[in-house]
Amino acid sequence: TEIYTLSLHDALPILLTNLEYRCMSKSELAILAQVSGSTLQNWMNRRYYEELKKLGYYKNQKILLPPQVKFLFERLVIVEC
């Protein structure tokens, strides 16, 4: 038998091609976007806040809902290694 492990880099295309977005923590999304958590937080609470608010987002939210994740994936540049 062979054992395979997936790195985040390997798993990223699977996540991006899946049309069903899942709940995700802000830290997970920051890792995928290759930015610090504070940078992501800043973008969400300043740049995208009004639009995210329409999707039920509030500033102290820990887990992002699928519509919020979809919104951010459409706007953030997800960089592959």
Side-chain angles (χ1 to χ4, degrees), residues 3-62:
I3 298 174
Y4 296 96
T5 58
L6 286 176
S7 68
L8 179 61
H9 171 68
D10 295 328
L12 186 58
I14 296 168
L15 178 63
L16 292 177
T17 58
N18 184 358
L19 295 177
E20 294 182 24
Y21 293 87
R22 63 174 180 82
C23 291
M24 182 179 293
S25 71
K26 291 177 184 177
S27 60
E28 287 177 285
L29 185 58
I31 291 168
L32 290 174
Q34 295 184 357
V35 297
S36 70
S38 61
T39 296
L40 180 66
Q41 186 80 15
N42 188 21
W43 289 346
M44 292 174 65
N45 291 338
R46 293 187 182 174
R47 184 180 295 175
Y48 300 122
Y49 180 70
E50 289 302 319
E51 294 163 287
L52 284 167
K53 187 176 175 183
K54 294 174 187 173
L55 298 172
Y57 173 76
Y58 56 94
K59 291 185 179 185
N60 293 326
Q61 186 174 328
K62 302 289 184 205

Side-chain angles (χ1 to χ4, degrees), residues 21 23 65 70 78:
Y21 293 87
C23 291
L65 301 175
K70 181 179 186 287
I78 305 298

